Amino acid sequence: PAARYTLAGENPYTAEYIETDQGAPPDFFSPAWLLPVLLPFGLLPQEIARTVWVLFLVAVTSAALLQMQAWGFRGLRPLLLILLPWALITLLFGQVTPLVLLGTILALNLVYEEGEKAEHRGAQRRHRVAQREDEQSDKSAKSLIFSGGWQAVKLVVAFLLIGIKPQLGIFIAAPLLLEMLWHRDRRLIGLAIVGGLLLGLTLLITPPWLISKAAAVQEITAPLWKSTLERELTLWRRPLWLAQPVRLLVILVMARWAWRQKGTSPMWWAGWLTAVLIITPYTRAYDGILLLPMLGVMAIHRRWQLALFVGLLALYIQLPIGELGSVVAPLTAWLLFAPWGEVQAVGKRAP
């Protein structure tokens, strides 16, 4: 609907949306830079647009999985992960979380690739000969400038995709930015400028009441709406304050893991993407597609843990309140996987 309102010359943030059976109007809460992705679909008839949109999301998810060679993903087998319920829920709901996943994988590859280049350049400087031919210097400098500029553009696009869902993106972007700061990546300046401009533009066209309305929507605790720790504790009639120690534990374990291996790694990021689904204050069942990297790594390197995860989830969904979209799924996967990453890390440090 937001694309159709935009094409009609209306502000998608202030347009009157039709009420749905989900309990709240489908207002447009996403950042403005999602609109260019949505606009082409607004030109199609509604039923056709829905089908093409789902196919587009399948293609986006496939592209993300095929970019994960550093996690040990090889060939076309990783595409089988799309058949898992956490991916199917996302795709059938037509949600944009696959774009967040794609942006994360692209950003990781770009950030770590630049880190490797920086280390390589440092080694070359320490061992290079005292003189170089002017011609060679000019040529390599031009190549470096061109390559760096193009890499910066791709990195900005990747971070924009991550920011499509701020409640997830902020937890994904923060470790990435710290990694870039650690490597003294000059592209941070460009990211700050572009990010600031786009955020300012979004705030200009966003009515002030939309933020408070988004906060009101977050208060809905119906099973189809939330997949947070608070929702699970509510269903089990347990005090909500227990959610905070769980979040703190997850963050401390992940921080200790990164500290002990002196940085992040593909395995760490598989654990962190799952951790994001636990620590975020607002998420829904269709964000579970962020589980795919961890489940894929389990299928390759830790099959007994994957089998145990499937068995535990099969038992959980037999309960009256058991749902595959619950926060219990990422929490169970993380407990089986992340705490042992410090001593069982698989793969190289960087993608």
Side-chain angles (χ1 to χ4, degrees), residues 176-236:
L176 270 170
L177 292 172
L178 287 174
E179 192 79 33
M180 294 179 70
L181 188 62
W182 176 260
H183 289 296
R184 298 180 181 178
D185 195 324
R186 295 180 181 178
R187 294 174 299 180
L188 270 173
I189 300 172
L191 275 176
I193 295 172
V194 175
L197 289 174
L198 288 175
L199 182 60
L201 176 63
T202 300
L203 292 175
L204 279 176
I205 63 175
T206 304
W209 48 261
L210 190 66
I211 297 175
S212 58
K213 189 170 186 178
V217 170
Q218 291 183 17
E219 296 301 318
I220 298 174
T221 56
L224 290 178
W225 274 82
K226 276 190 168 184
S227 299
T228 59
L229 290 168
E230 283 81 3
R231 170 193 170 270
E232 198 66 24
L233 289 168
T234 299
L235 294 177
W236 285 96

Short mmCIF file of all heavy atoms in Angstrom, two decimals, residues 176-236:
data_model
loop_
_atom_site.label_atom_id
_atom_site.label_comp_id
_atom_site.label_asym_id
_atom_site.label_seq_id
_atom_site.Cartn_x
_atom_site.Cartn_y
_atom_site.Cartn_z
N LEU A 176 29.32 -4.02 13.76
CA LEU A 176 29.98 -3.77 12.48
C LEU A 176 30.73 -2.44 12.50
O LEU A 176 31.88 -2.35 12.04
CB LEU A 176 28.95 -3.76 11.35
CG LEU A 176 28.66 -5.09 10.65
CD1 LEU A 176 27.45 -4.96 9.75
CD2 LEU A 176 29.87 -5.56 9.86
N LEU A 177 30.09 -1.42 13.04
CA LEU A 177 30.74 -0.10 13.11
C LEU A 177 31.95 -0.13 14.05
O LEU A 177 32.97 0.50 13.78
CB LEU A 177 29.73 0.95 13.58
CG LEU A 177 28.59 1.25 12.58
CD1 LEU A 177 27.55 2.15 13.21
CD2 LEU A 177 29.15 1.89 11.31
N LEU A 178 31.83 -0.88 15.14
CA LEU A 178 32.97 -1.02 16.05
C LEU A 178 34.13 -1.73 15.37
O LEU A 178 35.30 -1.38 15.57
CB LEU A 178 32.55 -1.79 17.30
CG LEU A 178 31.66 -1.04 18.30
CD1 LEU A 178 31.19 -1.97 19.41
CD2 LEU A 178 32.42 0.15 18.88
N GLU A 179 33.81 -2.72 14.54
CA GLU A 179 34.85 -3.43 13.79
C GLU A 179 35.54 -2.48 12.82
O GLU A 179 36.77 -2.49 12.67
CB GLU A 179 34.22 -4.60 13.03
CG GLU A 179 35.21 -5.59 12.45
CD GLU A 179 35.74 -6.56 13.48
OE1 GLU A 179 35.01 -6.93 14.41
OE2 GLU A 179 36.92 -6.96 13.34
N MET A 180 34.76 -1.64 12.15
CA MET A 180 35.34 -0.67 11.23
C MET A 180 36.19 0.35 11.97
O MET A 180 37.26 0.75 11.50
CB MET A 180 34.22 0.04 10.45
CG MET A 180 33.46 -0.86 9.51
SD MET A 180 32.14 0.02 8.63
CE MET A 180 33.11 1.07 7.55
N LEU A 181 35.72 0.79 13.14
CA LEU A 181 36.49 1.74 13.94
C LEU A 181 37.81 1.12 14.39
O LEU A 181 38.85 1.78 14.39
CB LEU A 181 35.65 2.16 15.15
CG LEU A 181 36.21 3.29 16.02
CD1 LEU A 181 36.33 4.58 15.22
CD2 LEU A 181 35.33 3.51 17.24
N TRP A 182 37.77 -0.15 14.75
CA TRP A 182 38.98 -0.86 15.17
C TRP A 182 40.01 -0.90 14.05
O TRP A 182 41.20 -0.76 14.28
CB TRP A 182 38.61 -2.27 15.61
CG TRP A 182 39.78 -3.12 15.98
CD1 TRP A 182 40.39 -4.07 15.22
CD2 TRP A 182 40.50 -3.10 17.23
NE1 TRP A 182 41.44 -4.65 15.90
CE2 TRP A 182 41.53 -4.07 17.14
CE3 TRP A 182 40.37 -2.36 18.40
CZ2 TRP A 182 42.41 -4.32 18.18
CZ3 TRP A 182 41.25 -2.61 19.44
CH2 TRP A 182 42.26 -3.57 19.32
N HIS A 183 39.53 -1.08 12.81
CA HIS A 183 40.42 -1.14 11.65
C HIS A 183 40.71 0.24 11.07
O HIS A 183 41.37 0.35 10.04
CB HIS A 183 39.82 -2.04 10.56
CG HIS A 183 39.84 -3.49 10.90
ND1 HIS A 183 40.99 -4.21 11.09
CD2 HIS A 183 38.81 -4.36 11.09
CE1 HIS A 183 40.69 -5.47 11.38
NE2 HIS A 183 39.37 -5.58 11.39
N ARG A 184 40.17 1.29 11.72
CA ARG A 184 40.33 2.66 11.24
C ARG A 184 39.90 2.79 9.78
O ARG A 184 40.59 3.39 8.95
CB ARG A 184 41.79 3.11 11.40
CG ARG A 184 42.24 3.12 12.85
CD ARG A 184 43.67 3.56 12.98
NE ARG A 184 44.11 3.55 14.38
CZ ARG A 184 45.34 3.86 14.77
NH1 ARG A 184 46.24 4.23 13.87
NH2 ARG A 184 45.66 3.80 16.04
N ASP A 185 38.75 2.25 9.50
CA ASP A 185 38.21 2.25 8.14
C ASP A 185 37.71 3.66 7.79
O ASP A 185 36.81 4.19 8.44
CB ASP A 185 37.06 1.25 8.06
CG ASP A 185 36.68 0.91 6.63
OD1 ASP A 185 36.74 1.81 5.77
OD2 ASP A 185 36.33 -0.25 6.37
N ARG A 186 38.30 4.26 6.76
CA ARG A 186 37.94 5.62 6.38
C ARG A 186 36.53 5.74 5.82
O ARG A 186 35.97 6.83 5.73
CB ARG A 186 38.94 6.14 5.34
CG ARG A 186 40.36 6.27 5.90
CD ARG A 186 41.32 6.78 4.84
NE ARG A 186 42.67 6.90 5.36
CZ ARG A 186 43.71 7.29 4.63
NH1 ARG A 186 43.53 7.61 3.37
NH2 ARG A 186 44.90 7.37 5.18
N ARG A 187 35.95 4.62 5.43
CA ARG A 187 34.60 4.65 4.89
C ARG A 187 33.56 5.03 5.95
O ARG A 187 32.41 5.32 5.63
CB ARG A 187 34.25 3.29 4.29
CG ARG A 187 35.10 2.94 3.06
CD ARG A 187 34.85 1.54 2.57
NE ARG A 187 35.20 0.55 3.59
CZ ARG A 187 35.07 -0.78 3.41
NH1 ARG A 187 34.60 -1.24 2.27
NH2 ARG A 187 35.41 -1.62 4.37
N LEU A 188 33.96 5.02 7.22
CA LEU A 188 33.05 5.44 8.29
C LEU A 188 32.56 6.87 8.09
O LEU A 188 31.42 7.20 8.42
CB LEU A 188 33.76 5.32 9.64
CG LEU A 188 33.65 3.99 10.39
CD1 LEU A 188 34.54 4.00 11.61
CD2 LEU A 188 32.21 3.72 10.78
N ILE A 189 33.44 7.73 7.54
CA ILE A 189 33.07 9.13 7.32
C ILE A 189 31.92 9.23 6.32
O ILE A 189 30.92 9.92 6.55
CB ILE A 189 34.28 9.94 6.83
CG1 ILE A 189 35.41 9.89 7.87
CG2 ILE A 189 33.89 11.38 6.53
CD1 ILE A 189 36.71 10.51 7.39
N GLY A 190 32.05 8.51 5.22
CA GLY A 190 30.99 8.50 4.21
C GLY A 190 29.69 7.93 4.75
O GLY A 190 28.60 8.45 4.47
N LEU A 191 29.82 6.86 5.56
CA LEU A 191 28.63 6.26 6.16
C LEU A 191 27.91 7.24 7.07
O LEU A 191 26.68 7.33 7.06
CB LEU A 191 29.03 5.02 6.97
CG LEU A 191 29.17 3.70 6.22
CD1 LEU A 191 29.68 2.62 7.16
CD2 LEU A 191 27.86 3.28 5.59
N ALA A 192 28.68 7.99 7.85
CA ALA A 192 28.09 8.96 8.78
C ALA A 192 27.37 10.07 8.02
O ALA A 192 26.26 10.47 8.38
CB ALA A 192 29.18 9.54 9.68
N ILE A 193 27.99 10.56 6.93
CA ILE A 193 27.38 11.65 6.16
C ILE A 193 26.10 11.20 5.48
O ILE A 193 25.03 11.82 5.62
CB ILE A 193 28.38 12.19 5.12
CG1 ILE A 193 29.58 12.85 5.83
CG2 ILE A 193 27.70 13.18 4.18
CD1 ILE A 193 30.70 13.24 4.90
N VAL A 194 26.17 10.07 4.76
CA VAL A 194 25.00 9.57 4.03
C VAL A 194 23.90 9.16 5.01
O VAL A 194 22.72 9.47 4.81
CB VAL A 194 25.39 8.38 3.13
CG1 VAL A 194 24.15 7.78 2.47
CG2 VAL A 194 26.37 8.83 2.06
N GLY A 195 24.30 8.47 6.08
CA GLY A 195 23.31 8.04 7.07
C GLY A 195 22.61 9.22 7.72
O GLY A 195 21.39 9.20 7.91
N GLY A 196 23.37 10.27 8.05
CA GLY A 196 22.78 11.45 8.65
C GLY A 196 21.80 12.15 7.72
O GLY A 196 20.71 12.57 8.14
N LEU A 197 22.16 12.27 6.45
CA LEU A 197 21.27 12.91 5.46
C LEU A 197 19.98 12.14 5.29
O LEU A 197 18.88 12.71 5.27
CB LEU A 197 22.00 13.05 4.12
CG LEU A 197 23.13 14.09 4.06
CD1 LEU A 197 23.86 14.00 2.72
CD2 LEU A 197 22.58 15.49 4.27
N LEU A 198 20.09 10.82 5.15
CA LEU A 198 18.89 10.01 4.93
C LEU A 198 18.01 9.98 6.18
O LEU A 198 16.78 10.01 6.07
CB LEU A 198 19.30 8.58 4.54
CG LEU A 198 19.87 8.44 3.14
CD1 LEU A 198 20.35 7.02 2.89
CD2 LEU A 198 18.82 8.80 2.08
N LEU A 199 18.62 9.95 7.34
CA LEU A 199 17.84 9.97 8.56
C LEU A 199 17.11 11.31 8.71
O LEU A 199 15.93 11.36 9.07
CB LEU A 199 18.75 9.74 9.77
CG LEU A 199 18.06 9.70 11.15
CD1 LEU A 199 17.05 8.56 11.19
CD2 LEU A 199 19.09 9.52 12.25
N GLY A 200 17.81 12.40 8.38
CA GLY A 200 17.17 13.72 8.43
C GLY A 200 16.01 13.83 7.46
O GLY A 200 14.95 14.37 7.80
N LEU A 201 16.19 13.28 6.24
CA LEU A 201 15.12 13.30 5.25
C LEU A 201 13.91 12.51 5.74
O LEU A 201 12.77 12.94 5.60
CB LEU A 201 15.63 12.72 3.92
CG LEU A 201 14.61 12.56 2.80
CD1 LEU A 201 14.07 13.92 2.38
CD2 LEU A 201 15.21 11.84 1.61
N THR A 202 14.18 11.35 6.34
CA THR A 202 13.08 10.52 6.85
C THR A 202 12.31 11.25 7.94
O THR A 202 11.08 11.23 7.98
CB THR A 202 13.63 9.19 7.39
OG1 THR A 202 14.31 8.49 6.34
CG2 THR A 202 12.51 8.31 7.93
N LEU A 203 13.04 11.92 8.83
CA LEU A 203 12.37 12.64 9.92
C LEU A 203 11.56 13.82 9.39
O LEU A 203 10.53 14.18 9.97
CB LEU A 203 13.41 13.13 10.93
CG LEU A 203 14.12 12.03 11.75
CD1 LEU A 203 15.21 12.63 12.62
CD2 LEU A 203 13.11 11.27 12.59
N LEU A 204 12.01 14.42 8.29
CA LEU A 204 11.29 15.55 7.72
C LEU A 204 9.91 15.17 7.20
O LEU A 204 8.96 15.94 7.31
CB LEU A 204 12.11 16.18 6.57
CG LEU A 204 13.23 17.14 6.98
CD1 LEU A 204 13.99 17.58 5.74
CD2 LEU A 204 12.66 18.35 7.72
N ILE A 205 9.81 13.97 6.62
CA ILE A 205 8.53 13.57 6.03
C ILE A 205 7.73 12.66 6.96
O ILE A 205 6.65 12.20 6.60
CB ILE A 205 8.74 12.86 4.68
CG1 ILE A 205 9.53 11.55 4.86
CG2 ILE A 205 9.44 13.76 3.69
CD1 ILE A 205 9.66 10.74 3.58
N THR A 206 8.27 12.40 8.16
CA THR A 206 7.57 11.55 9.12
C THR A 206 6.85 12.41 10.15
O THR A 206 7.48 13.22 10.82
CB THR A 206 8.56 10.62 9.86
OG1 THR A 206 9.29 9.86 8.90
CG2 THR A 206 7.82 9.67 10.80
N PRO A 207 5.55 12.27 10.28
CA PRO A 207 4.82 13.07 11.29
C PRO A 207 5.24 12.65 12.70
O PRO A 207 5.51 11.47 12.95
CB PRO A 207 3.35 12.71 11.03
CG PRO A 207 3.39 11.40 10.32
CD PRO A 207 4.66 11.38 9.53
N PRO A 208 5.30 13.59 13.64
CA PRO A 208 5.75 13.29 15.00
C PRO A 208 4.93 12.20 15.69
O PRO A 208 5.46 11.42 16.47
CB PRO A 208 5.60 14.63 15.73
CG PRO A 208 5.59 15.66 14.66
CD PRO A 208 4.96 15.01 13.46
N TRP A 209 3.62 12.15 15.40
CA TRP A 209 2.77 11.20 16.09
C TRP A 209 3.02 9.76 15.64
O TRP A 209 2.60 8.81 16.30
CB TRP A 209 1.30 11.54 15.89
CG TRP A 209 0.91 11.81 14.46
CD1 TRP A 209 0.76 13.03 13.88
CD2 TRP A 209 0.63 10.85 13.43
NE1 TRP A 209 0.41 12.89 12.56
CE2 TRP A 209 0.32 11.56 12.26
CE3 TRP A 209 0.61 9.47 13.40
CZ2 TRP A 209 -0.01 10.93 11.06
CZ3 TRP A 209 0.29 8.82 12.20
CH2 TRP A 209 -0.01 9.56 11.05
N LEU A 210 3.73 9.56 14.51
CA LEU A 210 3.93 8.20 14.01
C LEU A 210 4.82 7.39 14.97
O LEU A 210 4.62 6.19 15.15
CB LEU A 210 4.56 8.23 12.63
CG LEU A 210 4.60 6.88 11.89
CD1 LEU A 210 3.19 6.42 11.57
CD2 LEU A 210 5.42 6.98 10.62
N ILE A 211 5.79 8.07 15.59
CA ILE A 211 6.69 7.37 16.51
C ILE A 211 5.91 6.87 17.73
O ILE A 211 6.08 5.74 18.18
CB ILE A 211 7.84 8.30 16.94
CG1 ILE A 211 8.67 8.67 15.71
CG2 ILE A 211 8.71 7.65 18.00
CD1 ILE A 211 9.76 9.68 15.98
N SER A 212 5.03 7.74 18.27
CA SER A 212 4.24 7.31 19.42
C SER A 212 3.25 6.21 19.03
O SER A 212 2.95 5.31 19.81
CB SER A 212 3.48 8.50 20.02
OG SER A 212 2.64 9.08 19.04
N LYS A 213 2.77 6.27 17.78
CA LYS A 213 1.85 5.23 17.31
C LYS A 213 2.59 3.90 17.18
O LYS A 213 2.04 2.84 17.51
CB LYS A 213 1.25 5.63 15.96
CG LYS A 213 0.13 4.70 15.52
CD LYS A 213 -0.60 5.26 14.32
CE LYS A 213 -1.80 4.41 13.98
NZ LYS A 213 -2.58 4.94 12.85
N ALA A 214 3.84 3.96 16.69
CA ALA A 214 4.64 2.74 16.60
C ALA A 214 4.87 2.14 17.98
O ALA A 214 4.83 0.92 18.16
CB ALA A 214 5.98 3.05 15.94
N ALA A 215 5.09 2.99 18.98
CA ALA A 215 5.27 2.52 20.35
C ALA A 215 3.99 1.85 20.87
O ALA A 215 4.04 0.84 21.56
CB ALA A 215 5.67 3.67 21.26
N ALA A 216 2.83 2.42 20.48
CA ALA A 216 1.57 1.83 20.91
C ALA A 216 1.35 0.46 20.29
O ALA A 216 0.86 -0.47 20.94
CB ALA A 216 0.41 2.77 20.54
N VAL A 217 1.74 0.32 19.01
CA VAL A 217 1.62 -0.98 18.33
C VAL A 217 2.48 -2.02 19.02
O VAL A 217 2.12 -3.19 19.13
CB VAL A 217 2.01 -0.84 16.84
CG1 VAL A 217 2.11 -2.21 16.19
CG2 VAL A 217 0.98 0.01 16.11
N GLN A 218 3.64 -1.61 19.54
CA GLN A 218 4.54 -2.55 20.20
C GLN A 218 3.95 -3.11 21.49
O GLN A 218 4.41 -4.14 21.99
CB GLN A 218 5.87 -1.86 20.52
CG GLN A 218 6.68 -1.54 19.27
CD GLN A 218 8.02 -0.92 19.61
OE1 GLN A 218 8.49 -1.01 20.72
NE2 GLN A 218 8.64 -0.30 18.63
N GLU A 219 2.94 -2.45 22.03
CA GLU A 219 2.33 -2.93 23.27
C GLU A 219 1.43 -4.13 23.04
O GLU A 219 1.01 -4.80 23.98
CB GLU A 219 1.52 -1.80 23.93
CG GLU A 219 2.36 -0.61 24.36
CD GLU A 219 3.45 -1.01 25.35
OE1 GLU A 219 3.15 -1.82 26.26
OE2 GLU A 219 4.58 -0.51 25.22
N ILE A 220 1.10 -4.40 21.78
CA ILE A 220 0.23 -5.53 21.47
C ILE A 220 0.97 -6.82 21.78
O ILE A 220 2.08 -7.04 21.31
CB ILE A 220 -0.21 -5.50 20.00
CG1 ILE A 220 -1.02 -4.23 19.73
CG2 ILE A 220 -1.03 -6.73 19.65
CD1 ILE A 220 -1.36 -4.03 18.29
N THR A 221 0.38 -7.71 22.56
CA THR A 221 1.07 -8.93 22.98
C THR A 221 0.44 -10.19 22.39
O THR A 221 0.72 -11.29 22.84
CB THR A 221 1.06 -9.04 24.52
OG1 THR A 221 -0.29 -8.99 24.99
CG2 THR A 221 1.86 -7.92 25.15
N ALA A 222 -0.44 -10.05 21.42
CA ALA A 222 -1.06 -11.22 20.81
C ALA A 222 0.00 -12.11 20.19
O ALA A 222 1.00 -11.62 19.67
CB ALA A 222 -2.07 -10.77 19.74
N PRO A 223 -0.19 -13.44 20.22
CA PRO A 223 0.83 -14.36 19.72
C PRO A 223 1.30 -14.08 18.30
O PRO A 223 2.46 -14.31 17.98
CB PRO A 223 0.12 -15.72 19.81
CG PRO A 223 -0.85 -15.56 20.92
CD PRO A 223 -1.32 -14.12 20.83
N LEU A 224 0.42 -13.59 17.43
CA LEU A 224 0.82 -13.36 16.05
C LEU A 224 1.64 -12.09 15.88
O LEU A 224 2.16 -11.82 14.80
CB LEU A 224 -0.42 -13.29 15.15
CG LEU A 224 -1.16 -14.61 14.94
CD1 LEU A 224 -2.38 -14.39 14.07
CD2 LEU A 224 -0.25 -15.65 14.31
N TRP A 225 1.77 -11.30 16.96
CA TRP A 225 2.43 -10.01 16.81
C TRP A 225 3.84 -9.98 17.34
O TRP A 225 4.71 -9.34 16.77
CB TRP A 225 1.60 -8.93 17.50
CG TRP A 225 0.55 -8.40 16.59
CD1 TRP A 225 -0.66 -8.95 16.33
CD2 TRP A 225 0.63 -7.23 15.79
NE1 TRP A 225 -1.34 -8.20 15.43
CE2 TRP A 225 -0.58 -7.12 15.07
CE3 TRP A 225 1.59 -6.24 15.61
CZ2 TRP A 225 -0.84 -6.09 14.19
CZ3 TRP A 225 1.33 -5.20 14.73
CH2 TRP A 225 0.13 -5.14 14.03
N LYS A 226 4.07 -10.64 18.47
CA LYS A 226 5.37 -10.51 19.11
C LYS A 226 6.07 -11.85 19.28
O LYS A 226 5.42 -12.88 19.42
CB LYS A 226 5.24 -9.83 20.48
CG LYS A 226 5.21 -8.32 20.42
CD LYS A 226 5.33 -7.77 21.83
CE LYS A 226 5.60 -6.27 21.81
NZ LYS A 226 5.80 -5.74 23.16
N SER A 227 7.40 -11.80 19.30
CA SER A 227 8.20 -12.99 19.57
C SER A 227 9.30 -12.63 20.55
O SER A 227 10.44 -13.08 20.42
CB SER A 227 8.81 -13.54 18.27
OG SER A 227 7.80 -13.90 17.36
N THR A 228 8.96 -11.80 21.53
CA THR A 228 9.95 -11.30 22.47
C THR A 228 9.95 -12.12 23.76
O THR A 228 9.05 -12.92 24.02
CB THR A 228 9.66 -9.84 22.82
OG1 THR A 228 8.34 -9.77 23.39
CG2 THR A 228 9.71 -8.95 21.59
N LEU A 229 10.97 -11.87 24.57
CA LEU A 229 11.04 -12.52 25.88
C LEU A 229 9.84 -12.13 26.74
O LEU A 229 9.28 -12.96 27.47
CB LEU A 229 12.34 -12.12 26.58
CG LEU A 229 13.64 -12.69 25.98
CD1 LEU A 229 14.85 -11.98 26.58
CD2 LEU A 229 13.73 -14.19 26.20
N GLU A 230 9.44 -10.86 26.66
CA GLU A 230 8.31 -10.39 27.46
C GLU A 230 7.02 -11.14 27.11
O GLU A 230 6.24 -11.49 27.99
CB GLU A 230 8.10 -8.88 27.26
CG GLU A 230 9.10 -8.01 28.01
CD GLU A 230 10.43 -7.88 27.29
OE1 GLU A 230 10.56 -8.43 26.17
OE2 GLU A 230 11.35 -7.26 27.85
N ARG A 231 6.81 -11.37 25.83
CA ARG A 231 5.61 -12.10 25.42
C ARG A 231 5.62 -13.52 25.99
O ARG A 231 4.61 -14.02 26.49
CB ARG A 231 5.52 -12.16 23.90
CG ARG A 231 4.42 -13.11 23.41
CD ARG A 231 4.56 -13.41 21.93
NE ARG A 231 3.65 -14.48 21.54
CZ ARG A 231 3.97 -15.75 21.56
NH1 ARG A 231 5.17 -16.14 21.98
NH2 ARG A 231 3.12 -16.68 21.19
N GLU A 232 6.78 -14.17 25.92
CA GLU A 232 6.87 -15.54 26.42
C GLU A 232 6.65 -15.58 27.94
O GLU A 232 5.96 -16.46 28.45
CB GLU A 232 8.25 -16.11 26.07
CG GLU A 232 8.33 -17.63 26.15
CD GLU A 232 7.47 -18.32 25.11
OE1 GLU A 232 7.16 -17.70 24.07
OE2 GLU A 232 7.09 -19.49 25.35
N LEU A 233 7.24 -14.62 28.64
CA LEU A 233 7.06 -14.58 30.09
C LEU A 233 5.60 -14.29 30.46
O LEU A 233 5.08 -14.82 31.44
CB LEU A 233 7.96 -13.50 30.69
CG LEU A 233 9.47 -13.82 30.68
CD1 LEU A 233 10.28 -12.56 31.02
CD2 LEU A 233 9.78 -14.94 31.66
N THR A 234 4.93 -13.47 29.65
CA THR A 234 3.51 -13.19 29.88
C THR A 234 2.68 -14.45 29.74
O THR A 234 1.80 -14.74 30.56
CB THR A 234 3.01 -12.12 28.89
OG1 THR A 234 3.75 -10.90 29.08
CG2 THR A 234 1.53 -11.85 29.08
N LEU A 235 2.96 -15.23 28.70
CA LEU A 235 2.20 -16.46 28.47
C LEU A 235 2.45 -17.48 29.58
O LEU A 235 1.56 -18.26 29.93
CB LEU A 235 2.57 -17.05 27.11
CG LEU A 235 2.16 -16.23 25.89
CD1 LEU A 235 2.65 -16.88 24.61
CD2 LEU A 235 0.64 -16.05 25.85
N TRP A 236 3.67 -17.47 30.12
CA TRP A 236 3.99 -18.41 31.21
C TRP A 236 3.67 -17.82 32.58
O TRP A 236 3.92 -18.46 33.61
CB TRP A 236 5.48 -18.77 31.15
CG TRP A 236 5.82 -19.73 30.05
CD1 TRP A 236 6.29 -19.43 28.81
CD2 TRP A 236 5.71 -21.16 30.10
NE1 TRP A 236 6.48 -20.58 28.07
CE2 TRP A 236 6.13 -21.65 28.84
CE3 TRP A 236 5.29 -22.07 31.07
CZ2 TRP A 236 6.14 -23.02 28.53
CZ3 TRP A 236 5.30 -23.43 30.77
CH2 TRP A 236 5.72 -23.89 29.52
#
